[in-house]
Every structure is written in structure tokens, then in C-alpha cells.
């Protein structure tokens, strides 16, 4: 694209690709090739030595994935990005890129279950301690940190609580201490731009809103390029001392000519090389289609979710509505400060009659799908107490924000009249069962 713009809605359609130089194809081709030929031996050596960037092997880099990476980095106002096979591998790599055995990270307690498991069970087996703190108090991050802390980690809009994370407050503490803030922005693409608030690294499950149609699993890590790894060389030897796994490269020096991309280049050259979780080019193509309509879809998701939340607040079966638009005080202030493009597509609500009412509601939906996903064009619903959170004790469920009658809706982009119609008739069945009992 020759046209200069910083508008995410235009970047989502154009950035990183004009037309295919060989065929003139207007859409990004799927370069479904494991390997790429070198011009000659010197070219090959230069690519391996990072003297020149280019295509070697799809585990490390692929031209279809490259357009997606450039596009999302531009939309976020970041320096560069890397695609991964899943959101989960993006979360894992974002931490493993800078933390080693003996190190720790400080994480918000309010996390997606997969990240919670990674942090509380798998990373400790690798010698990486994860210290969980309540995001209600940003200072808790400072208190939990020490000189072996390599990152702060949080989700912008974690469910089931749906309380926006204090990005600027915790990023500022990170800047003071020399600790980068990694933000999982999966639930709030476009509506929140974490780098604008001081976050240093963004991760995504592209599976959700970026893909938008529930067809493919994938993830992204975006490097903001704003964290000064050299200034904090003592804390980050992995980026500032010779890496024996890459013929002694010092990542901050080896990438000097490329811009502030030491973090993401190291992730690509070491973690993708050694652990190998690349995005398939076909999935990158799917995500590129999704990305083009992401800003428009997010507007519809936000608008529909707000209507659904307001509708639920007026129903007698519902004791509480969980939605950023239905909050007060500091929680509301944070929602307004960080979710500047809208309050997102997720809505939670509690049914007074508990587990049975939750199951009854779900079983009687006829438009919405019952599944463990979010970010699809279709409205999706789940009853966490009997599914995703059923292995937890009632106390553990309560700590994560799941009550027996909690239902999560990932509101889609159907006509909101039909979404409300479906929810309304399913709620009617909850009331009629109660009356019959
Ligand atoms: N982060 C968040 C906030 C998620 O909701 C999910 C999945 O639900 C993930 C990460 C993991 O993503 P994936 O399923 O693409 O591995």
C-alpha cells in the first residue's frame, strides 16, 4: 500500500500487501510451501546470519503469515509481530522468550483457563514461578516483583468478570522497575489499543474476534518496540548477552538495523526454531479475511452486546448483569478509559435459580450455539459451572467470578431482534419450570 494512514480500519484491509507481483492477484496468496529456494549460497548464508531478512522455512517465517504480522503490528501501532499456531502458544512464547528457570512473572488472577493452567502448573515445572495478584490493586504488581521478575501479565477484558485491566497504571509501575507488561487483548481487539496505554507486548488468540468466523486456531505476539531492553540489561541477559544457541548473537545488537524488534526476532529465531508452533499459511489467509472486517464486526458485537445487557437487566429471572456498561466506580472508570472503541461482545448474567436454571436456559436456546468459544459471528452461550469450571470447587468457582447460575454469552452479529428473541424465549422456559416446581 502506498497510501499513508494510521487508521486501523484502512490498515486492516490494505497494509503489507498491494497485489501479487507475479500474478497481479488482489488478495494475499496462500504460500503453502514448507521451504523457499535461495538465490545462491551467499544469499542463503546472509539469511541465516540475519544480515538479510527473507524466506527460509515456514516454521520460522512465511510470506502469507508475514502480511498478517505486518498488518496487525501496524493496526496496534507496534514495531513487529509474529504469528503462532494458537493463542495458547502465543501466551506461552511471550513469557518463555524472556523468563528462564529461577525467574518469575507477576500475573493478574483474572485469566482464561488455559493461561491459568499454563501459569499455575506447567511454567512452574520449568522452574518459572508465577505470582498471582488481584488486578483491582495495581500496586500489588509492584509488591510482588523482585529482581528476577521478567514480566507482568494480564488480560485487557478477562471473562467471566469482564472488568477492564488497569493497563496504564501497571505499565507505569513496569517502566519504573524495568519490567515489561504483556497484555492478552483477545477479547478487545480494535476497541482497546494496549500500546496507547503503555503496554509493551500484546498477545492474541486470533481464533476469536480476529478470525471472527470460528474456522481456525491461531495466535499472535506483537512487539510494541517501546521497552528498552538494553537499559535493563541486568534483568534481561537473554537479550543482551551472547546467545550460544545462535552462534553467539546478542539480540539487541543483531537487530539494531531492523528497528526496536529484538524481542520478536529472538522469539522467531529461537522459540519457533526449537519449539515449533508456527501458524499454517492457510490459517493466516483465513485470519487475513477476518481482519478486513474486524473493525466493522467489533462495532456490531459491541452494539448488540450492550442491547442484550440492557435487556437482561430488565428481566426478573436475572439477578446480576456482568458487562462493562453495567459497572460503577473505579471499575466503570477503567472500562471507559481502556475500552475506548466500545465495551466488547461478551455479556455475563446470573440466574437466581442457580445451576439448574443455567442448564435449562442453555438447553432451550435455539439460535445461539452452545459451545466453549468466543468471538464468532454467531452468538455463543455457555454455562461455566457445569462445563468449563466444573472441575473447580464452589469456592474456587466463586474466586474466578463464576456463580452457579452464571451464563456467558458471546454476542454475535446477527440482527439483535433475533438475538433478544432467542434469549427471551429461553428465559421464559426457566420461569415456567420454576412455576411448575
Ligand atoms: N487467551 C484468551 C483470552 C482466550 O480466551 C483463549 C482461548 O479461549 C486463549 C488465549 C487461547 O487461545 P487458543 O484457543 O487460540 O489457543
Amino acid at each position: 500500500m502506498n497510501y499513508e494512514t494510521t487508521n486501523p480500519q484502512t490498515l486492516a484491509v490494505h497494509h503489507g500487501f498491494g497485489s501479487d507481483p507475479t500474478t497481479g492477484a488482489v488478495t494475499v496468496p496462500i504460500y503453502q510451501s514448507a521451504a523457499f529456494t535461495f538465490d545462491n549460497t551467499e544469499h542463503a548464508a546472509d539469511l541465516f546470519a540475519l544480515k538479510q531478512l527473507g524466506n527460509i522455512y515456514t516454521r520460522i517465517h512465511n510470506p502469507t503469515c508475514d502480511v498478517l504480522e505486518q498488518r496487525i503490528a501496524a493496526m496496534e501501532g507496534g514495531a513487529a509481530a509474529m504469528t503462532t499456531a494458537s493463542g495458547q502458544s502465543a501466551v506461552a512464547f511471550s513469557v518463555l522468550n524472556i523468563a528462564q528457570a529461577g525467574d518469575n512473572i507477576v500475573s493478574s488472577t483474572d485469566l482464561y483457563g488455559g493461561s491459568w493452567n499454563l501459569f499455575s502448573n506447567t511454567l512452574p515445572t520449568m522452574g518459572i514461578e508465577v505470582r498471582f495478584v488481584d488486578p483491582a490493586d495495581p500496586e500489588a504488581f509492584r509488591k510482588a516483583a523482585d529482581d528476577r521478575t521478567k514480566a507482568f501479565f494480564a488480560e485487557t477484558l478477562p471473562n467471566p468478570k469482564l472488568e477492564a485491566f488497569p493497563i496504564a497504571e501497571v505499565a507505569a509501575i513496569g517502566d519504573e522497575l524495568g519490567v515489561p507488561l504483556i497484555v492478552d487483548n483477545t477479547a478487545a481487539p480494535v476497541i482497546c489499543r494496549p500500546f496507547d496505554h503503555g503496554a509493551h507486548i500484546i498477545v492474541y488468540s486470533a481464533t476469536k474476534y480476529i478470525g471472527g468466523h470460528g474456522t481456525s486456531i491461531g495466535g499472535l505476539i506483537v512487539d510494541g518496540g517501546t521497552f528498552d531492553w538494553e537499559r535493563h540489561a541486568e534483568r534481561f541477559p537473554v537479550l543482551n548477552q551472547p546467545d550460544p544457541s545462535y552462534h553467539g548473537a546478542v539480540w539487541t545488537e543483531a537487530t539494531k538495523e531492523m528497528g526496536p524488534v529484538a524481542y520478536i526476532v529472538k522469539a522467531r529465531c529461537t522459540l519457533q526454531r526449537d519449539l515449533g508452533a508456527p501458524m499454517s499459511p492457510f490459517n493466516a489467509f483465513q485470519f487475513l479475511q477476518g481482519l478486513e472486517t474486524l473493525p466493522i464486526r467489533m462495532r456490531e458485537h459491541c452494539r448488540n452486546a450492550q442491547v442484550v445487557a440492557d435487556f437482561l437487566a430488565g428481566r426478573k429471572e436475572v439477578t446480576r448483569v456482568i458487562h462493562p456498561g453495567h459497572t460503577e466506580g473505579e471499575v466503570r472508570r477503567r472500562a471507559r478509559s481502556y475500552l475506548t472503541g466500545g465495551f466488547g461482545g461478551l455479556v455475563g448474567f446470573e440466574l437466581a435459580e442457580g445451576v439448574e436454571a443455567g442448564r435449562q436456559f442453555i438447553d432451550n436456546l435455539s439460535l445461539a450455539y452452545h459451545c466453549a468459544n468466543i468471538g464468532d459471528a454467531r452468538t455463543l452461550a455457555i454455562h461455566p459451572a457445569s462445563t468449563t469450571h466444573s472441575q473447580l470447587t464452589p469456592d474456587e468457582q466463586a474466586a474466578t467470578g463464576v456463580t452457579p447460575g452464571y451464563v456467558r454469552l458471546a454476542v454475535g452479529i446477527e440482527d439483535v431482534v433475533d438475538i433478544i428473541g432467542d434469549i427471551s424465549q429461553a428465559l421464559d422456559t426457566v420461569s415456567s419450570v420454576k412455576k411448575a416446581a
Side-chain angles (χ1 to χ4, degrees):
M1 181 177 70
N2 295 325
Y3 187 81
E4 287 289 320
T5 181
T6 55
N7 185 341
Q9 190 162 326
T10 307
L11 294 169
V13 179
H14 292 282
H15 190 79
F17 186 78
S19 59
D20 182 53
T22 318
T23 63
V26 170
T27 53
V28 180
I30 304 172
Y31 291 103
Q32 194 75 30
S33 179
F36 300 86
T37 53
F38 307 119
D39 299 343
N40 49 48
T41 51
E42 190 186 350
H43 177 224
D46 282 354
L47 290 176
F48 277 90
L50 296 176
K51 285 188 190 155
Q52 209 181 321
L53 291 180
N55 306 317
I56 300 176
Y57 190 65
T58 283
R59 174 154 32 84
I60 314 292
H61 184 259
N62 173 279
T64 311
C65 299
D66 180 60
V67 179
L68 178 61
E69 288 160 354
Q70 288 189 45
R71 216 163 260 192
I72 202 92
M75 288 172 70
E76 294 293 352
M82 180 177 86
T83 45
T84 58
S86 64
Q88 220 31 61
S89 49
V91 172
F93 282 6
S94 72
V95 173
L96 292 174
N97 200 32
I98 42 180
Q100 297 181 323
D103 294 336
N104 67 75
I105 66 165
V106 181
S107 171
S108 163
T109 45
D110 296 352
L111 290 179
Y112 163 63
S115 303
W116 176 270
N117 246 319
L118 170 70
F119 288 179
S120 53
N121 295 308
T122 303
L123 289 187
T125 67
M126 300 174 174
I128 300 168
E129 184 195 349
V130 181
R131 302 172 177 178
F132 291 102
V133 297
D134 184 348
D137 177 18
E139 284 299 317
F141 282 80
R142 187 197 304 277
K143 287 182 200 135
D146 62 20
D147 59 4
R148 295 300 298 266
T149 301
K150 303 297 160 142
F152 293 153
F153 189 98
E155 292 178 15
T156 306
L157 184 59
N159 75 81
K161 289 186 187 162
L162 300 180
E163 296 179 359
F165 181 76
I167 300 174
E169 292 89 330
V170 176
I173 294 169
D175 283 334
E176 265 179 61
L177 302 181
V179 176
L181 170 63
I182 304 172
V183 170
D184 181 336
N185 202 39
T186 297
V190 182
I191 59 177
C192 175
R193 295 198 351 145
F195 294 149
D196 291 351
H197 306 288
H200 305 96
I201 308 290
I202 299 173
V203 293
Y204 276 111
S205 166
T207 315
K208 317 297 178 192
Y209 291 99
I210 290 176
H213 300 84
T215 64
S216 314
I217 300 283
L220 283 140
I221 306 177
V222 193
D223 185 344
T226 50
F227 192 83
D228 192 344
W229 304 103
E230 283 179 291
R231 187 164 154 236
H232 304 290
E234 273 190 30
R235 195 183 288 273
F236 295 103
V238 289
L239 286 161
N240 289 287
Q241 284 179 17
D243 183 343
S245 87
Y246 212 93
H247 48 65
V250 174
W251 292 109
T252 46
E253 283 167 19
T255 54
K256 273 261 150 65
E257 304 285 298
M258 305 174 199
V261 291
Y263 172 93
I264 207 78
V265 171
K266 175 187 176 287
R268 189 184 294 284
C269 293
T270 63
L271 294 176
Q272 285 292 30
R273 179 197 59 190
D274 301 346
L275 300 179
M279 181 180 284
S280 90
F282 181 75
N283 284 5
F285 175 80
Q286 299 276 33
F287 293 127
L288 281 164
Q289 308 317 301
L291 203 60
E292 290 187 0
T293 56
L294 178 66
I296 302 169
R297 282 187 288 107
M298 286 313 290
R299 279 206 291 277
E300 284 299 300
H301 282 297
C302 291
R303 210 167 57 170
N304 284 355
Q306 183 71 58
V307 175
V308 167
D310 296 347
F311 168 78
L312 289 166
R315 288 288 300 220
K316 61 180 185 319
E317 303 86 350
V318 174
T319 49
R320 196 159 84 93
V321 174
I322 298 99
H323 179 260
H326 285 249
T327 50
E328 290 172 354
E330 176 61 9
V331 177
R332 185 167 186 81
R333 188 200 65 76
R334 287 181 187 168
R336 285 197 178 282
S337 306
Y338 297 114
L339 305 175
T340 50
F343 288 153
L346 302 175
V347 179
F349 63 97
E350 285 175 14
L351 288 163
E353 300 303 313
V355 173
E356 276 317 308
R359 296 173 80 135
Q360 177 81 18
F361 173 82
I362 297 280
D363 283 339
N364 281 286
L365 288 169
S366 55
L367 179 72
Y369 287 73
H370 178 203
C371 67
N373 199 11
I374 61 169
D376 200 310
R378 301 149 193 82
T379 296
L380 313 176
I382 198 155
H383 176 236
S386 62
T387 57
T388 52
H389 290 62
S390 57
Q391 283 93 23
L392 305 186
T393 64
D395 280 351
E396 285 170 335
Q397 287 187 3
T400 66
V402 170
T403 53
Y406 186 101
V407 174
R408 182 187 77 196
L409 297 173
V411 179
I413 59 171
E414 304 95 335
D415 191 313
V416 76
V417 170
D418 294 322
I419 300 173
I420 295 285
D422 192 29
I423 294 171
S424 180
Q425 62 81 25
L427 281 175
D428 290 344
T429 65
V430 171
S431 310
S432 57
V433 164
K434 193 185 151 203
K435 267 190 220 127

